[in-house]
Amino acid sequence: MNTPSLKVTKTRDTTGILMLILLLAYLIAYILPSNLRPLLIPDESRYAEIPREMIASGDWVEPHLVNLRYFEKPPLGYWLTAISIRLFGENNFAVRLSSALSIGLTAWFIWLLLIRSGYSPRKALLAAAIFLTLFEVFVIGTLAILDSPFALLITAGMVLFYLASDTTENRPRQRYYLSASGVMFGLAFLTKGFLAFALPGIVLLPFILITKHYNLLWRSAWVVLFAVLIILPWGIAIQLHGSDFWHYFIWEEHIRRFLSKTAQHAAPFSFYFVALPVITFP
């Protein structure tokens, strides 16, 4: 009579052990080695120097690189690294910590998504493990670049949006999830700009249409509202700072950059067929 409950308990115990093993592997692969190798030039050194100058100058509104205004990205990624440097000192561990932690939290959101979608804890754990062992994920998660925090915030925003779609019976909870989703997308904008709106748009709109959650089309106003509320304080502050950030960021970094025939990282579509087997290598 007690066999089923014993089996369930045993399964839960083994799943807990597997979670601890995965956490230990993550710490060994992503966190512990982060101070063992020098920073890569130019990207890691750039994303270390800008936060260092924020701390030295006390100006956390307008990013500077070698005392020159640097308007390629908004400031959230620099803020995270600056906070880490304040906590742990000027070392490579502090510079890379936000990137490594972001990858770990992204894996947790993947696990949460599958759990809430009805998958077993083991399958959800396997999905998180697969994510953590992908070649590109490992590379960006061990470098001090902005892709890892951005990936975390976009993933979190979309998972929270999915949870909102799954709580149609509970309006207050749905508004909570939609608002939290907007917060994540607003923070993603403060990390890498307008891509934070483009990516959710091309994923979530088809999702709404395919699942026929049409009411989410107008309820997504909560997402937009909270994203704007997150962006607005810094957006106003840098404008009052007397800089031309918005002109440069919108015109140079987005419109001209994408329309230019010599755009950065330009490559033919066939590039993806070559790159995907490498970046998704387990």
Side-chain angles (χ1 to χ4, degrees), residues 250-264 266:
I250 294 172
W251 177 248
E252 296 290 341
E253 282 295 313
H254 287 81
I255 298 174
R256 288 192 62 181
R257 183 173 179 178
F258 285 100
L259 294 179
S260 173
K261 293 181 180 179
T262 57
Q264 280 185 299

Side-chain angles (χ1 to χ4, degrees), residues 266-279:
F269 188 76
S270 58
F271 166 80
Y272 293 100
F273 294 103
V274 177
L276 279 174
V278 177
I279 64 179

